[in-house]
């Protein structure tokens, strides 16, 4: 298994490959301003095309926010997909296209609404193409190919159910702005937390679901996690030292934009991580330098992680005029 974190700026787009099997978790943003003027960033759809990937066997949406959902909808419209997995029931998304916030809504609310619309588009596209759509719930285990195991650790089922009910309720309001605002505010808490394991390589992909929501998790399940994708783009709430200590981490990756908006890639987070795991690689998809922990002066469009002789190997991928690859132990 190899795991590739695509540099989509602020957002997640994670490609997992095992043999011929391809799994995509989220698709990043489709906002032009996320990419224009940032040569290291690349829309997930363009990256997949550049890599010659012609099919996604399983596409998973961690949660409904623009920087995770909208790029996945774009990919779904242009690539054959074998199956789609969502964090909510497809029926909860039907009819959300008619929802629109008023002009006084906070800036993030129209972006959330766009993501909600795109989530429904994914469901409609799947229905039109006959693509199976599955709803993932806490406790589910997927084994799509031999040796690859995907465990859903969060959110708790009542949290997911409540979020779905709020979506349905928003559709019944004359002015759905308050409901959309609340959904935007709580969507991170409904993000799927996925533990992906293949042999000795074990990666935790928590989307934007932060540890203060993980009290229900049996933390013994984390004792073989050696790769952590920081939730919430490395904001201050992205770690709990007591939980991080339980993981034998070799690599910790942050999918934040280099402008570190919303106080992402927070310095205190890396100070704590380095104190607990001084030998772990601290990796950043969109940074060229994060002193004193990280340096990649040429930048990259993606980084791939794989296990080699018990150690995590990183491969930086740069695709400008010609594709360049740089491997580091």
């Amino acid at each position: 298994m190899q795991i590739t974190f695509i540099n989509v700026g602020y957002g997640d787009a994670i490609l997992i490959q095992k043999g011929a099997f391809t799994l995509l978790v989220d698709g990043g943003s489709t906002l032009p301003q996320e990419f224009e003027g940032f040569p290291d960033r690349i829309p997930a759809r363009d990256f997949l095309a550049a890599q010659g990937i012609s099919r996604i066997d399983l596409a998973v949406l961690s949660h409904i926010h623009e920087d995770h959902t909208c790029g996945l909808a774009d990919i779904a419209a242009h690539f054959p997909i074998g199956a789609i997995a969502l964090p909510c029931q497809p029926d909860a998304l039907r009819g959300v296209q008619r929802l629109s916030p008023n002009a006084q809504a906070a800036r993030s609310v129209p972006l959330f609404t766009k993501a909600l619309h795109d989530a429904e588009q994914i469901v409609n596209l799947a229905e039109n193409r006959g693509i199976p759509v599955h709803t993932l719930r806490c406790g589910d285990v997927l084994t799509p190919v031999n040796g690859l195991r995907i465990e859903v650790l969060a959110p708790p089922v009542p949290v997911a159910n409540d979020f779905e009910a709020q979506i349905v309720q928003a559709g019944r309001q004359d002015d759905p702005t308050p409901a959309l605002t609340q959904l935007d505010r709580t969507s991170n808490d409904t993000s799927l937390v996925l533990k992906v394991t293949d042999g000795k390589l074990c990666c935790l992909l928590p989307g934007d679901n932060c540890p203060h929501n993980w009290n229900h998790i049996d933390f013994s399940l984390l004792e073989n996690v050696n790769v952590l994708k920081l939730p919430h783009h490395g904001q201050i709430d992205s770690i709990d030292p007591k939980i991080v200590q339980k993981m034998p981490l070799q690599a910790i990756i942050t999918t934040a934009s280099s402008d570190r908006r919303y106080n992402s890639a927070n310095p205190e987070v890396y100070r704590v991580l380095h104190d607990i795991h001084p030998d772990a690689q601290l990796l950043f998809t969109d940074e060229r330098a994060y002193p004193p922990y990280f340096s990649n002066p040429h930048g990259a469009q993606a980084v791939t992680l794989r296990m080699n002789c018990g150690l995590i190997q990183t491969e930086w991928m740069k695709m400008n005029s010609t594709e360049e690859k740089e491997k580091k132990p």
Side-chain angles (χ1 to χ4, degrees):
M1 176 178 73
Q2 65 179 36
I3 307 174
T4 299
F5 298 86
I6 304 169
N7 181 2
V8 292
Y10 190 91
D12 283 7
I14 303 162
L15 177 67
I16 298 173
Q17 297 166 283
K18 181 175 172 61
F21 178 80
T22 57
L23 161 66
L24 184 67
V25 180
D26 293 338
S29 172
T30 56
L31 295 175
Q33 61 266 34
E34 193 64 48
F35 303 96
E36 293 172 355
F38 298 96
D40 292 342
R41 301 178 190 175
I42 185 170
R45 175 162 69 98
D46 293 352
F47 177 85
L48 297 176
Q51 292 300 298
I53 293 171
S54 59
R55 171 186 167 88
I56 301 297
D57 292 299
L58 175 61
V60 178
L61 175 63
S62 69
H63 68 295
I64 299 172
H65 266 148
E66 199 281 332
D67 57 321
H68 297 255
T69 307
C70 295
L72 191 63
D74 184 39
I75 289 164
H78 292 89
F79 283 76
I81 294 180
I84 295 171
L86 302 175
C88 59
Q89 297 285 347
D91 285 347
L93 298 169
R94 299 194 186 281
V96 299
Q97 295 287 336
R98 66 178 181 271
L99 297 179
S100 179
N102 63 39
Q104 286 70 49
R107 176 184 175 276
S108 65
V109 178
L111 292 176
F112 170 79
T113 306
K114 181 179 186 301
L116 196 60
H117 292 173
D118 280 6
E120 185 185 16
Q121 288 181 12
I122 291 172
V123 170
N124 292 340
L125 180 147
E127 186 175 86
N128 292 336
R129 293 187 186 172
I131 301 171
V133 178
H134 309 285
T135 302
L136 295 183
R137 286 291 189 250
C138 186
D140 288 349
V141 177
L142 307 180
T143 53
V145 290
N146 185 40
L148 182 62
R149 179 180 174 90
I150 304 167
E151 300 170 71
V152 183
L153 305 185
V157 172
V159 172
N161 290 344
D162 182 64
F163 190 77
E164 292 174 3
Q166 289 183 54
I167 294 174
V168 174
Q169 186 62 30
R172 298 171 179 165
Q173 306 300 313
D174 293 334
D175 178 9
T177 302
L180 291 170
T181 301
Q182 178 64 14
L183 286 165
D184 176 36
R185 184 179 298 120
T186 59
S187 184
N188 286 344
D189 298 340
T190 72
S191 183
L192 296 173
V193 175
L194 304 177
K195 179 186 174 186
V196 183
T197 307
D198 177 47
K200 293 182 178 180
L201 181 57
C202 182
C203 182
L204 190 68
L205 302 175
D208 284 344
N209 197 326
C210 292
H212 61 262
N213 296 315
W214 299 0
N215 292 331
H216 67 285
I217 294 177
D218 177 359
F219 293 129
S220 68
L221 295 172
L222 307 181
E223 291 177 353
N224 64 333
V225 171
N226 46 32
V227 176
L228 171 64
K229 197 284 299 185
L230 282 180
H232 210 195
H233 315 286
Q235 293 185 32
I236 193 64
D237 57 354
S238 64
I239 61 167
D240 180 330
K242 293 180 181 179
I243 297 176
V244 171
Q245 287 172 348
K246 297 180 182 296
M247 306 180 202
L249 294 174
Q250 293 188 37
I252 303 164
I253 188 157
T254 302
T255 56
S257 54
S258 53
D259 58 13
R260 304 178 193 173
R261 74 190 72 143
Y262 314 123
N263 295 312
S264 58
N266 189 289
E268 178 63 14
V269 168
Y270 305 104
R271 186 194 66 77
V272 172
L273 288 171
H274 183 68
D275 285 348
I276 297 172
H277 293 290
D279 296 326
Q281 301 179 73
L282 298 180
L283 307 172
F284 300 79
T285 52
D286 194 44
E287 297 277 4
R288 293 193 173 197
Y290 199 111
Y293 311 113
F294 172 79
S295 177
N296 187 32
H298 301 295
Q301 276 75 50
V303 59
T304 295
L305 307 183
R306 59 176 64 86
M307 184 67 75
N308 183 19
C309 298
L311 297 175
I312 301 295
Q313 183 183 61
T314 64
E315 179 181 296
W316 295 96
M317 307 178 70
K318 191 170 180 66
M319 297 169 293
N320 289 332
S321 56
T322 59
E323 182 177 321
E324 303 172 12
K325 296 182 179 180
E326 179 183 358
K327 294 183 179 180
K328 297 181 181 180

